Amino acid sequence: MHPPAAAAHRESLGTEAARNLATTTKSAPQMQEISDRWLLRALPWVDIEGGAYRVNRRLSHAVGQGRVAFEQTGSEVRVVPPTLREVPLLRDFPDDGLLTELAGRFTVRTVTAGELLVEAGQPVDEIFLIAHGKLDRLGTGKYDETTVLGGLADGDHVGDEALAQSDPLWPFGVRATTGGTVLALPRSAFEELAGRSPALREQIERYREGARQAVNKYGEAAIAMSAGHRGEPELPSTFVDYELRPREYELSLAQTVLRVHTRVADLYNEPMNQTEHQLRLTIEALRERQEFELVNNPGFGLLSTAAYDQRISTWSGPPTPDDMDELLCRRRGTKFYLAHPKAIAAIGREANKRGLYPDPVELDGKRVTAWRGVPILPCNKIPISKAQTTSILAMRVGEHNQGVIGLRQTGLPDEYEPGLSVRFMGIDEKAIISYLVSTYYSVAALVPNAVGVLENVDVAHRS
């Protein structure tokens, strides 16, 4: 019978015993949360004073196209009355009670894929709110072929502009591309309500007055001018008016208190500085949160504040080359796309199906996926819903380009990095050292078309 291996005769010192006299080579503390944070790197950062940045724009008479919201109880779907103010005709309407009554007059209708809701040229006898699903606006081409003018998705509304007109006709058709749910309001029900509500009639007249204002295609007050004239005609006079209440972006912040025991800092500081690595990982976490807020914050985040007329929905679900082109063409000088890594993979799958293999581009010494030469930067802060849908952003950046800019304030007391400070808070009675770590930031789109969003992007892999 052979003796156990441990009892076998050795002719040299064993490795386990030898390790007691050896110095172990150690890595610095690692952290899985760290990402590339391309958004923080790609944004041009503007240093501001006073903690706020005011965006001055030309006066605009156009009413923003918002989206209404819905509440669902079982199979019953209702529009949330206050969100009816997102319909241009009802913007800033003060009577909540009348909005509640108006919301109660909508009826729920289930639509099926391919169903034609309205036909171009027919009278507008009802308006529609899209609670769920996707619809197409249909037109007629030069040779009488059917063309798709654009898409409608959850929260959109169609036909409402006709409520302030007499005997309006549908300028386009509307067809459901997927099954879904819409809420319909008969025109007669709205007119009956307006007939007994002076406040609603005044609201309609204000809307009509605004529609008569001279504006350019972006809704800005028009600048009168003459071109192509001869002789000595009297030239129009004009001035450029500004918004009276421009938006101000106040700096947001992310903060934490880092605590290190003096015993750790005194006795266990070699070969690695404990405080330094604690601070390094804390800053990494704060920067990750900063990028998350720039994308998702409800007050200033890019996904939340993107103009509704700069949001489009995918044609069929996955991000096709057609969708990427549509998003790209809506603004000049697009600097980059921003997408979740799963969305980038889905873009590649759809391109490969068509035999397209876009060339990558080099950015900051790294090769990244691109479309039409525009980099597609990964950002894992863009959310993916339970239904496996997400969004893709396209941005023009820079103050000089009327684009998207990052905001921060430098020169802070105890500044450690631009816009980030580490302030010593003292040592408490338990011998624990405390440091306040703060970073201040925000993001602003100088004009609405600086950022666009492709919504309802399906990233599920289907065989």
Side-chain angles (χ1 to χ4, degrees):
M1 185 174 182
H2 297 287
H9 176 69
R10 289 199 305 264
E11 296 184 0
S12 64
L13 179 66
T15 55
E16 292 185 5
R19 285 185 59 188
N20 293 328
L21 300 181
T23 299
T24 302
T25 301
K26 297 172 285 290
S27 75
Q30 306 299 303
M31 183 176 178
Q32 188 171 325
E33 184 183 8
I34 299 174
S35 67
D36 285 329
R37 297 197 292 268
W38 274 108
L39 179 59
L40 298 188
R41 295 159 57 186
L43 278 181
W45 290 89
V46 175
D47 295 334
I48 66 175
E49 297 179 358
Y53 183 89
R54 180 179 299 157
V55 178
N56 290 303
R57 294 174 178 168
R58 279 178 59 184
L59 179 64
S60 175
H61 293 294
V63 178
Q65 285 280 90
R67 288 181 176 174
V68 296
F70 304 88
E71 54 187 4
Q72 183 173 1
T73 304
S75 60
E76 185 179 355
V77 180
R78 297 180 298 274
V79 60
V80 178
T83 67
L84 286 173
R85 294 188 177 94
E86 297 300 330
V87 175
L89 176 61
L90 299 174
R91 178 58 60 89
D92 297 327
F93 186 64
D95 193 338
D96 287 334
L98 198 64
L99 290 179
T100 300
E101 185 176 353
L102 182 61
R105 299 192 174 203
F106 283 87
T107 58
V108 179
R109 184 182 304 175
T110 301
V111 298
T112 58
E115 179 180 345
L116 188 66
L117 276 72
V118 299
E119 190 173 346
Q122 296 300 310
V124 180
D125 53 11
E126 56 186 347
I127 72 169
F128 298 97
L129 309 178
I130 294 86
H132 177 67
K134 297 173 66 174
L135 292 81
D136 282 340
R137 294 185 295 112
L138 306 178
T140 303
K142 180 178 179 179
Y143 302 103
D144 294 329
E145 76 279 12
T146 300
T147 59
V148 177
L149 304 178
L152 301 166
D154 302 4
D156 285 331
H157 33 86
V158 61
D160 51 274
E161 63 278 358
L163 294 177
Q165 304 171 10
S166 58
D167 301 323
L169 301 178
W170 283 104
F172 48 76
V174 178
R175 181 179 63 198
T177 57
T178 69
T181 303
V182 302
L183 273 66
L185 174 69
R187 179 182 173 86
S188 57
F190 180 84
E191 291 177 342
E192 187 275 330
L193 192 60
R196 58 183 177 83
S197 172
L200 185 54
R201 291 197 298 272
E202 292 176 6
Q203 180 77 11
I204 295 172
E205 186 55 38
R206 283 194 296 270
Y207 177 79
R208 288 171 175 165
E209 180 64 26
R212 288 192 286 267
Q213 297 285 346
V215 298
N216 62 19
K217 66 178 182 179
Y218 302 105
E220 298 169 330
I223 298 176
M225 63 184 68
S226 179
H229 51 274
R230 294 184 179 181
E232 299 177 353
E234 183 176 347
L235 298 179
S237 59
T238 189
F239 66 95
V240 181
D241 208 353
Y242 303 133
E243 288 184 349
L244 295 179
R245 292 182 294 273
R247 175 167 181 179
E248 289 189 355
Y249 292 83
E250 292 187 1
L251 291 183
S252 184
L253 79 163
Q255 288 181 309
T256 190
V257 175
L258 173 64
R259 294 179 174 177
V260 181
H261 200 287
T262 53
R263 181 183 299 175
V264 172
D266 292 343
L267 303 181
Y268 303 98
N269 230 23
E270 292 294 341
M272 297 183 187
N273 187 301
Q274 293 281 1
T275 303
E276 177 185 321
H277 285 286
Q278 288 279 304
L279 183 59
R280 176 179 63 85
L281 296 180
T282 299
I283 291 174
E284 292 282 3
L286 283 174
R287 291 303 193 195
E288 292 290 331
R289 183 54 185 256
Q290 176 182 349
E291 186 174 67
F292 176 88
E293 292 290 315
L294 295 185
V295 174
N296 298 290
N297 185 282
F300 60 84
L302 295 170
L303 281 179
S304 305
T305 60
Y308 285 109
D309 61 1
Q310 294 299 319
R311 299 171 185 257
I312 59 174
S313 186
T314 56
W315 291 104
S316 59
T320 65
D322 299 330
D323 295 319
M324 300 298 288
D325 284 341
E326 178 75 10
L327 185 59
L328 183 65
C329 77
R330 285 182 170 247
R331 68 203 38 78
R332 60 178 173 82
T334 300
K335 187 68 174 180
F336 57 84
Y337 295 98
L338 197 69
H340 193 281
K342 286 188 175 182
I344 297 177
I347 293 170
R349 288 196 299 269
E350 294 304 311
N352 293 345
K353 287 179 183 178
R354 301 192 183 190
L356 302 175
Y357 305 95
D359 293 328
V361 298
E362 188 169 310
L363 192 64
D364 290 347
K366 296 184 177 181
R367 292 176 68 80
V368 297
T369 304
W371 179 256
R372 306 288 188 192
V374 179
I376 307 175
L377 305 182
C379 178
N380 61 359
K381 314 305 186 302
I382 299 177
I384 294 179
S385 71
K386 293 182 179 179
Q388 293 297 292
T389 59
T390 185
S391 299
I392 297 173
L393 293 90
M395 279 181 270
R396 180 177 68 248
V397 299
E399 271 190 311
H400 66 286
N401 212 18
Q402 298 186 115
V404 179
I405 56 173
L407 304 175
R408 67 186 179 192
Q409 185 166 329
T410 58
L412 301 170
D414 301 311
E415 190 169 60
Y416 190 84
E417 294 178 355
L420 184 146
S421 67
V422 180
R423 308 186 77 170
F424 176 67
M425 297 176 63
I427 304 174
D428 65 15
E429 65 277 3
K430 296 181 181 180
I432 295 177
I433 311 171
S434 297
Y435 299 91
L436 176 64
V437 188
S438 308
T439 181
Y440 300 91
Y441 54 84
S442 189
V443 63
L446 300 186
V447 295
N449 68 3
V451 57
V453 183
L454 178 64
E455 299 181 313
N456 303 313
V457 176
D458 189 347
V459 297
H461 191 293
R462 294 178 173 83
S463 57

